[in-house]
Amino acid sequence: MNTLVYIYILESVDGSYHTGCCDELGIVLAKYDKYNQLLLGTEIKPPVKLIHQQKFKTEQEARLIENEIRRWSKKQKQFLINNDWPEISKLAKKFIY
């Protein structure tokens, strides 16, 4: 059975991004929501909002893209989040060997 694999980007209350990969996005979001409630009022800034997700057919493909996105700067990730394909295309050309 083929299960879709998701890459996601969550934004913390401090504006930082957390990039991850999973096959059950709903479960991941529920866990973060539970942690947010537990950490309410502390100085810890957990991810709080899903701002980007992409589906992939294989885990291998998703992990490859996830690792690439993790290396990107915040500005580069914002291009992806905003679906700025001309800028994303420029980034992709840098990674072609």
Side-chain angles (χ1 to χ4, degrees), residues 17 69-78:
Y17 295 146
I69 292 171
R70 282 178 182 259
R71 291 192 295 263
W72 288 2
S73 68
K74 184 173 183 175
K75 185 176 181 178
Q76 291 169 317
K77 290 176 185 177
Q78 287 170 335

Side-chain angles (χ1 to χ4, degrees), residues 68 72 75-76 79-80 84-96:
E68 191 63 53
W72 288 2
K75 185 176 181 178
Q76 291 169 317
F79 293 139
L80 180 63
D84 188 340
W85 292 107
E87 288 298 327
I88 293 168
S89 177
K90 289 178 192 175
L91 286 174
K93 289 176 184 173
K94 291 180 183 179
F95 297 109
I96 296 175

Side-chain angles (χ1 to χ4, degrees), residues 1-96:
M1 182 175 169
N2 241 353
T3 304
L4 292 177
V5 181
Y6 296 87
I7 291 177
Y8 58 87
I9 299 175
L10 301 173
E11 183 177 20
S12 294
V13 292
D14 65 359
S16 62
Y17 295 146
H18 170 74
T19 303
C21 183
C22 69
D23 61 351
E24 294 289 342
L25 189 55
I27 292 173
V28 170
L29 296 176
K31 286 180 181 178
Y32 279 114
D33 186 50
K34 182 178 180 180
Y35 293 141
N36 287 338
Q37 292 172 15
L38 292 172
L39 297 171
L40 199 62
T42 69
E43 291 185 26
I44 300 170
K45 305 297 184 213
V48 294
K49 185 169 111 180
L50 175 68
I51 57 173
H52 179 75
Q53 65 177 318
Q54 285 180 262
K55 298 177 195 176
F56 294 88
K57 291 182 180 179
T58 68
E59 183 176 354
Q60 181 181 10
E61 181 182 24
R63 293 277 181 206
L64 182 69
I65 301 300
E66 175 200 15
N67 289 332
E68 191 63 53
I69 292 171
R70 282 178 182 259
R71 291 192 295 263
W72 288 2
S73 68
K74 184 173 183 175
K75 185 176 181 178
Q76 291 169 317
K77 290 176 185 177
Q78 287 170 335
F79 293 139
L80 180 63
I81 293 162
N82 295 328
N83 291 317
D84 188 340
W85 292 107
E87 288 298 327
I88 293 168
S89 177
K90 289 178 192 175
L91 286 174
K93 289 176 184 173
K94 291 180 183 179
F95 297 109
I96 296 175

